[in-house]
Structures are given as structure tokens and as C-alpha cells.
């Protein structure tokens, strides 16, 4: 399709195409499970609090916010339903990931580490940044509405302690991602959410955004279909929330991405394993002081 150029809200399609690889994982029969499989009808209960992606300027980080919003949704479900180990649940609490019963992650951390520019980013780069660097709490690297683009994306905001915390998150909750072709969206939505791209936005008619031939320029979270229901970073003009409903034939970018987490729990030692470890430590201490 020959698209006309439109105002960009953070999606760099050219960069996305350049970063594609034949080695990218693809959604299908051999896809790995995610520890968070949220029933479609319950997903709205676990969505994060919406946040507009602009301060003094547009932050152009929708490609980072979409996977972060999905991650927060998944971890809200895991945390509130006790689907992760007590050890990892306490670790999240002790390190500031949990605020008022919800799990929050920093958008800026991933936007910066993935190389977001004033022209936005690919869909893939933020996903790879999460896989490589993990996630940190939103409170560690917050956004505020008085920020300029340069202030928000300043790499000097990221400290070594933040990087270390992200690496520990990665160790406890490894993340992977895979490409999902549009023909598989219905199957995907049965068990997961989607990092999805398209044009933002046509004028809604009776509360629904009709399809348009305009070029994809924005990234959001796909929640369900056949009436596409999505979670966005701009307020809906229909009812002033962050959820939009798109026509069933809304023209999406040709593929999206699924993200999935696993959990690593340190194995608990039996009494005899603990005793043997204690004896070994005592022997090492004895040798050290000789």
C-alpha cells in the first residue's frame, strides 16, 4: 500500500524494517508459554494507570511504552493473584516495584537504553532493550509533565545502581519476544496481548475509530478483537480514558510482537544440603585464618 507521510507519534518504520532478521522468533505452534496468561475478559482489570506520552514536548517513546504497559499488566495479574514465588514477590516490594498494589516499570529506562530519537524508534529495539537490561521501577526514573524531550531522554539519568537493579530483575524474570503476523492476531489474543502499530488517529464515529489509508505512525497495546480494543498513550476523545475501540477492518502494520516472561526461583536447600554448605564454609574460614 502506498501511504502518505503523516505526523509521527514515535514509530520509525524504516528502522523497524532495517532491524528485522531471519533469526527473529515467530509466533506459532512452538511458541514458549508466558507465566502470565490473563483471560481476555479480565485484562482490563490489570491494565496500568494511563499516562500521556508528552510533557513540554512529545517524548516519541510509544514503542517503549507499549511493551512496558503490557509488562505492567502481566505483573499486576501475577502479583495480585500470587502467581509468582513469595521470594520474588517480596523482592519486587522491597525494591520499589509495587506502588499501592500495582507493579510499575520505568518507560524512560527502556526508551533511553533502546536509543529513542526525536523520530521515534522501531518496535523491536525497546523489546531487545528489555531482554538485555531488565526493568526498573517507575519511581527510580520517573516522567513528569514539565520535561522536555532532551531532559526525559538524558542518558545521564541512568545510574549504575539502576542498571544493576535491572539486571537482577532480568535474572529473576527473563523476558523474550517474538514476531506475530497479522493473520495470527485472533489466535494470539486468546492468550496474550500484543505490541501493535498503526495510524493515530482517524476521527471516531459512534465511539469507534474507522480504518484509514494513512501510514502507521504510532505503537499501542492490542488487547482483544474482532472489534480491536487497544490501550494507548493518548487520551481517547470519545470518553477521556486511554482505551480506544477500532473498527474490525482497521489497517494495522503487517505484524506485531508478543512478549513473554519466565520466572527463576533459587532452589531451596534441604537440611543435608544446608549442613554440607555450612561445613564447607567453616572449612574455608578455618583455612583462611591459618
Amino acid at each position: 500500500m502506498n501511504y502518505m507521510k503523516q505526523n509521527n507519534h514515535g514509530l520509525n518504520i524504516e528502522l523497524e524494517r532495517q532491524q528485522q532478521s531471519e533469526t527473529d522468533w515467530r509466533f506459532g505452534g512452538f511458541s514458549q508459554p508466558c507465566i502470565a496468561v490473563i483471560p481476555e475478559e479480565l485484562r482490563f482489570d490489570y491494565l496500568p494507570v494511563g499516562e500521556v506520552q508528552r510533557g513540554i514536548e512529545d517524548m516519541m517513546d510509544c514503542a517503549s511504552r507499549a511493551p512496558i504497559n503490557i509488562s505492567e499488566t502481566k505483573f499486576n495479574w501475577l502479583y495480585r493473584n500470587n502467581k509468582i514465588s513469595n521470594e520474588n514477590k517480596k523482592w519486587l516490594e522491597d525494591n520499589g516495584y509495587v506502588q499501592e498494589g500495582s507493579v510499575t516499570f520505568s518507560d524512560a529506562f527502556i526508551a533511553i537504553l533502546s536509543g529513542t530519537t526525536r523520530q521515534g524508534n522501531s518496535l523491536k529495539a525497546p523489546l531487545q532493550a528489555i531482554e538485555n537490561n531488565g526493568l526498573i521501577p517507575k519511581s527510580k526514573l520517573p516522567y513528569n509533565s514539565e520535561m522536555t524531550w532532551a531532559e526525559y531522554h538524558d542518558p545521564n539519568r541512568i545510574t549504575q545502581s539502576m542498571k544493576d537493579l535491572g539486571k537482577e530483575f532480568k535474572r529473576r524474570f527473563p523476558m523474550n519476544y517474538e514476531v506475530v503476523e497479522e493473520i495470527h492476531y485472533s489466535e494470539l489474543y486468546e492468550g496474550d496481548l500484543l505490541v501493535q502499530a498503526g495510524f493515530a488517529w482517524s476521527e471516531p464515529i459512534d465511539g469507534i475509530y474507522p480504518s484509514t489509508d494513512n501510514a502507521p505512525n504510532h505503537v499501542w497495546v492490542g488487547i482483544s478483537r474482532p472489534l480491536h480494543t487497544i490501550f494507548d498513550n493518548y487520551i481517547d476523545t470519545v470518553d477521556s480514558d486511554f482505551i480506544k475501540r477500532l473498527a474490525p477492518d482497521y489497517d494495522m502494520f503487517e505484524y506485531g510482537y508478543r512478549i513473554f516472561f519466565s520466572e527463576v526461583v533459587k532452589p531451596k536447600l534441604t537440611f543435608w544440603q544446608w549442613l554440607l554448605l555450612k561445613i564447607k564454609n567453616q572449612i574455608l574460614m578455618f583455612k583462611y585464618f591459618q
Side-chain angles (χ1 to χ4, degrees):
M1 184 177 291
N2 293 321
Y3 291 116
M4 296 176 58
K5 287 189 175 181
Q6 303 291 334
N7 290 334
N8 187 11
H9 293 291
L11 173 61
N12 188 328
I13 286 290
E14 290 76 17
L15 183 61
E16 171 63 23
R17 295 196 187 282
Q18 292 170 15
Q19 293 178 348
Q20 286 302 288
S21 169
E22 292 182 357
T23 62
D24 290 341
W25 290 3
R26 302 274 165 174
F27 175 76
F30 295 99
S31 292
Q32 296 183 30
C34 180
I35 55 173
V37 180
I38 311 172
E40 197 168 344
E41 67 275 10
L42 299 180
R43 291 172 192 165
F44 297 95
D45 297 335
Y46 300 97
L47 292 171
V49 175
E51 182 178 270
V52 177
Q53 67 174 59
R54 66 175 298 121
I56 294 175
E57 303 172 86
D58 197 303
M59 300 310 176
M60 303 296 283
D61 64 338
C62 59
S64 294
R65 288 177 181 265
I68 294 295
N69 286 335
I70 290 177
S71 300
E72 289 177 335
T73 303
K74 287 175 178 283
F75 274 83
N76 282 338
W77 184 81
L78 290 167
Y79 178 80
R80 295 175 194 170
N81 292 285
N82 296 311
K83 299 291 185 178
I84 53 178
S85 67
N86 289 333
E87 174 192 336
N88 281 336
K89 187 174 182 180
K90 186 175 187 304
W91 182 84
L92 290 173
E93 294 169 342
D94 290 346
N95 286 280
Y97 287 91
V98 182
Q99 300 293 326
E100 298 181 356
S102 293
V103 178
T104 66
F105 300 123
S106 171
D107 307 288
F109 184 66
I110 296 304
I112 295 168
L113 291 177
S114 63
T116 305
T117 71
R118 290 184 181 273
Q119 287 70 50
N121 209 339
S122 66
L123 288 86
K124 182 177 177 178
L127 300 172
Q128 191 62 52
I130 296 173
E131 181 177 330
N132 292 344
N133 301 282
L135 296 166
I136 67 170
K138 185 181 288 287
S139 60
K140 299 285 186 184
L141 199 67
Y143 148 95
N144 74 65
S145 61
E146 302 301 316
M147 285 180 165
T148 63
W149 185 95
E151 289 170 337
Y152 180 79
H153 289 279
D154 181 2
N156 293 320
R157 297 176 68 201
I158 298 179
T159 65
Q160 187 59 49
S161 64
M162 293 178 192
K163 292 179 181 179
D164 292 343
L165 183 59
K167 292 294 186 182
E168 179 61 17
F169 180 94
K170 171 188 171 181
R171 188 193 70 77
R172 291 170 181 267
F173 301 105
M175 173 271 201
N176 296 99
Y177 62 92
E178 59 187 7
V179 176
V180 184
E181 305 289 345
E182 191 170 4
I183 58 172
H184 295 300
Y185 282 5
S186 291
E187 180 185 355
L188 177 281
Y189 282 132
E190 291 177 8
D192 222 327
L193 300 102
L194 182 70
V195 176
Q196 191 177 70
F199 175 74
W201 292 106
S202 59
E203 286 296 322
I205 300 173
D206 296 328
I208 298 174
Y209 292 78
S211 187
T212 169
D213 290 337
N214 293 331
N217 63 354
H218 187 43
V219 186
W220 56 75
V221 176
I223 303 173
S224 63
R225 63 181 308 185
L227 180 65
H228 293 286
T229 305
I230 65 102
F231 186 78
D232 193 25
N233 307 314
Y234 295 108
I235 295 174
D236 183 17
T237 59
V238 175
D239 53 13
S240 299
D241 62 8
F242 289 87
I243 295 172
K244 294 182 171 71
R245 289 172 172 80
L246 319 183
D249 64 345
Y250 202 89
D251 187 30
M252 306 290 184
F253 186 55
E254 60 211 58
Y255 59 82
Y257 286 91
R258 169 183 177 249
I259 67 175
F260 49 99
F261 290 90
S262 52
E263 182 184 16
V264 175
V265 181
K266 291 181 180 178
K268 293 182 179 179
L269 299 178
T270 65
F271 171 77
W272 296 110
Q273 288 172 326
W274 171 83
L275 183 59
L276 180 60
L277 183 61
K278 188 174 181 65
I279 292 171
K280 286 182 177 179
N281 288 337
Q282 291 293 332
I283 293 172
L284 289 173
M285 290 293 289
F286 177 78
K287 289 181 178 180
Y288 179 81
F289 285 109
Q290 291 305 303

